[in-house]
Amino acid sequence: MLTIGETAEVLGISAHTLRYYEKERIVLPLRDAGGDRRYDESHISWLKFVIKLKETQMPIAAIQKYASLVREGEHTAEARVKLLAEHKRSIRAQLETLTAADEMLERKIAGYRTLIGSSR
């Protein structure tokens, strides 16, 4: 069992972020006898997934909805698949945008390198 500080360090996020995720009911840590938050391996695994969802621009409201569906149980599997499939489509669109931007930048850089090389 890890403290909030240890969990934050393991995940590379702040304790403030963990408190926010708890406030938003995205993660529900255990509590020790003194009331301090404790995180086990299942929390760490869940939070790694949540962090990936955030890194790929899933809105907090959608993450909250997904977390709620998970807590409700297996009968919500279809709704969870739908939510994740929608997010995957969003990621694919982001990838297409980034690939197009990367190709454009590569052409610009090559043009400048040619210009720099020809002016020497």
Side-chain angles (χ1 to χ4, degrees):
M1 298 292 267
L2 300 175
T3 66
I4 191 168
E6 292 166 337
T7 301
E9 186 174 333
V10 164
L11 295 171
I13 61 176
S14 69
H16 174 77
T17 298
L18 287 170
R19 284 187 211 94
Y20 173 74
Y21 286 164
E22 180 181 5
K23 178 179 153 284
E24 298 301 324
R25 300 191 47 80
I26 291 169
V27 66
L28 302 175
L30 303 171
R31 298 286 180 152
D32 66 13
D36 293 327
R37 293 168 181 87
R38 294 289 182 250
Y39 299 84
D40 63 18
E41 191 52 45
S42 68
H43 293 109
I44 302 299
S45 179
W46 169 251
L47 286 162
K48 285 179 180 177
F49 182 64
V50 167
I51 289 165
K52 284 297 172 206
L53 294 176
K54 269 306 282 163
E55 288 174 346
T56 56
Q57 310 305 309
M58 180 181 264
I60 285 293
I63 296 172
Q64 287 171 311
K65 177 65 176 170
Y66 183 78
S68 174
L69 290 168
V70 169
R71 282 192 305 276
E72 285 181 43
E74 289 185 20
H75 70 280
T76 65
E78 191 172 321
R80 286 186 261 168
V81 166
K82 182 179 176 188
L83 198 147
L84 292 177
E86 184 177 309
H87 184 60
K88 184 173 173 133
R89 282 189 293 277
S90 171
I91 290 171
R92 294 283 180 195
Q94 289 176 54
L95 285 169
E96 289 175 17
T97 299
L98 289 171
T99 298
D102 182 61
E103 290 168 356
M104 179 199 64
L105 289 170
E106 191 60 40
R107 287 189 302 274
K108 274 289 194 198
I109 290 167
Y112 283 123
R113 286 189 174 141
T114 300
L115 179 66
I116 292 166
S118 67
S119 66
R120 289 185 181 187

